Amino acid sequence: MSKTIYMMLLTAVLIGGIGLYSILGQAQDDPAEPTNLAQQQLDQMLEKYKGKVIYLDFWASWCVPCRNSFPWMTTMQEKYQDRGFQVITINLDVDKTFAEDFLKDYPAKFPIIYDPSGKVGEHYQLKGMPSSFVIGRDGSVVANQVGFFEDKVDEYEAKIVEILSLETVEP
């Protein structure tokens, strides 16, 4: 192989490598990247509902207990929204169509954020599915639970009522 052809190939490889590095670097910092998008959406929701008691629930279509928690969350949302209660859920399915199919059978009357990368879930250090966090009016996590058990729904609701009663609504 001649020196000229060798130099042309080496140049092409270097330029291609730099281009690939540039593309990969941009993908990591792209604000539209799903990981960042899910966190941005959550931040916007938390800001929108600031001053309310928020029930933040992480779920996935394959989660059997989630089939029972969705109707319960809808009931809680409807029952306590006038007292400053808001449900927000984060779906962790890698493929959004799985979540969409789930929602045909278990419709939601509350916001859903899609986090296919699971980065928001990592931030909350999930230990099982579903995982739920009650965020007080001041923005801090005041309660959490792993799993959803139908024989504990009265206990779950009592905790929500307690938190709603303890915290006053800001004018």
Side-chain angles (χ1 to χ4, degrees):
M1 179 181 325
S2 75
K3 186 175 181 182
T4 304
I5 294 173
Y6 177 77
M7 291 304 289
M8 287 173 42
L9 284 172
L10 182 60
T11 302
V13 168
L14 286 173
I15 290 172
I18 290 169
L20 181 60
Y21 176 80
S22 174
I23 289 168
L24 290 174
Q26 287 175 357
Q28 291 173 353
D29 297 330
D30 185 355
E33 194 266 328
T35 300
N36 292 336
L37 182 59
Q39 185 62 57
Q40 288 172 0
Q41 289 173 335
L42 177 58
D43 292 344
Q44 289 169 357
M45 288 282 174
L46 293 174
E47 183 62 31
K48 178 180 179 179
Y49 298 116
K50 187 176 182 179
K52 293 187 178 231
V53 172
I54 297 170
Y55 188 87
L56 180 63
D57 183 76
F58 291 85
W59 66 281
S61 63
W62 48 263
C63 167
V64 175
C66 296
R67 296 175 191 155
N68 295 323
S69 69
F70 260 65
W72 178 83
M73 288 188 293
T74 297
T75 300
M76 294 298 100
Q77 174 70 45
E78 291 172 349
K79 191 171 182 179
Y80 295 109
Q81 66 187 356
D82 292 342
R83 292 183 59 188
F85 181 73
Q86 179 62 50
V87 174
I88 300 172
T89 65
I90 300 180
N91 174 264
L92 299 174
D93 283 307
V94 174
D95 185 339
K96 188 176 179 179
T97 59
F98 295 141
E100 291 167 345
D101 288 343
F102 176 95
L103 292 168
K104 289 175 187 171
D105 294 328
Y106 307 96
K109 294 183 180 179
F110 38 77
I112 297 172
I113 297 169
Y114 296 95
D115 182 23
S117 69
K119 292 293 184 186
V120 177
E122 285 177 18
H123 173 75
Y124 280 85
Q125 300 175 352
L126 304 183
K127 296 186 180 5
M129 293 297 278
S131 284
S132 304
F133 299 84
V134 181
I135 300 172
R137 295 184 198 279
D138 67 353
S140 65
V141 174
V142 293
N144 63 34
Q145 70 189 40
V146 178
F148 183 84
F149 304 94
E150 287 191 83
D151 61 341
K152 292 187 175 186
V153 294
D154 291 339
E155 182 182 323
Y156 301 152
E157 183 173 0
K159 188 66 172 174
I160 290 169
V161 170
E162 176 188 339
I163 293 167
L164 285 168
S165 299
L166 290 175
E167 301 192 17
T168 59
V169 180
E170 295 179 13

